[in-house]
Amino acid sequence: MQDKTINSDSVNTKLKDIAARSLRELSLEATLLWNQIEDASESGAENVENLVKQLWQVQEAAESKIDSIAWIVDYLKIEIDAAKKRLDAVIELHEQFIAKKEAQLAGIKQGLLWLHDQGLIPKRNIGKEREIEIRDNNPKVW
């Protein structure tokens, strides 16, 4: 029968890299350790204490990983909410800008229509490069 025990050097090596493992790797390691503990208990092996100690360290590392993942999730949610608020502020700013420009355009059109209604400008006004025409169908300036 092959000895499934772990010597102290390999235990120390494994303990050093526990923090670097993913949650998946830690879960697999815990499963492996449980199997080794069961096998060692059945065979009366003496290294059960080391395996249990190692299992607790893997468990603590997994708990730390879970806390880290939860912290990152909370942080990402905060970042998303902040970005949405900034987006809303930018949208509002642009909507105000558009409304202001639309009001300026409407004011120019109304002013030209008023000048035409007063007889101060004709229906067709020719500039050097462009022209302004006042149409009678639903009075508009084009």
Side-chain angles (χ1 to χ4, degrees):
M1 181 169 107
Q2 187 178 15
D3 188 17
K4 295 182 180 181
T5 61
I6 301 173
N7 65 35
S8 63
D9 290 337
S10 65
V11 169
N12 289 335
T13 303
K14 284 190 176 193
L15 294 179
K16 289 178 184 175
D17 74 340
I18 283 177
R21 294 185 185 171
S22 70
L23 186 57
R24 178 182 180 275
E25 291 170 325
L26 291 169
S27 297
L28 292 173
E29 179 72 18
T31 302
L32 176 65
L33 287 168
W34 272 115
N35 290 337
Q36 289 177 353
I37 289 169
E38 288 173 0
D39 292 345
S41 295
E42 290 172 6
S43 67
E46 296 177 6
N47 70 338
V48 173
E49 186 178 323
N50 283 338
L51 292 172
V52 170
K53 184 178 180 182
Q54 206 175 344
L55 179 63
W56 279 113
Q57 290 170 337
V58 168
Q59 178 64 32
E60 288 174 1
E63 291 169 356
S64 294
K65 290 286 180 185
I66 290 168
D67 290 345
S68 296
I69 291 168
W71 184 88
I72 290 169
V73 167
D74 290 344
Y75 176 77
L76 290 173
K77 286 178 181 179
I78 290 168
E79 287 288 307
I80 289 167
D81 288 344
K84 285 180 179 180
K85 287 177 183 175
R86 287 191 305 269
L87 177 62
D88 290 344
V90 168
I91 289 171
E92 183 179 339
L93 180 65
H94 284 280
E95 286 175 346
Q96 290 172 358
F97 176 82
I98 290 168
K100 180 180 176 183
K101 297 303 174 187
E102 286 174 338
Q104 288 175 337
L105 179 60
I108 290 170
K109 288 180 180 182
Q110 290 300 320
L112 290 170
L113 289 174
W114 183 83
L115 289 172
H116 174 68
D117 288 344
Q118 300 302 314
L120 300 174
I121 60 171
K123 284 187 174 192
R124 191 166 182 212
N125 300 276
I126 300 173
K128 290 182 181 181
E129 296 178 9
R130 308 283 305 266
E131 107 179 38
I132 297 173
E133 182 181 356
I134 305 202
R135 299 182 184 168
D136 289 328
N137 55 342
N138 278 344
K140 293 183 180 176
V141 177
W142 298 97

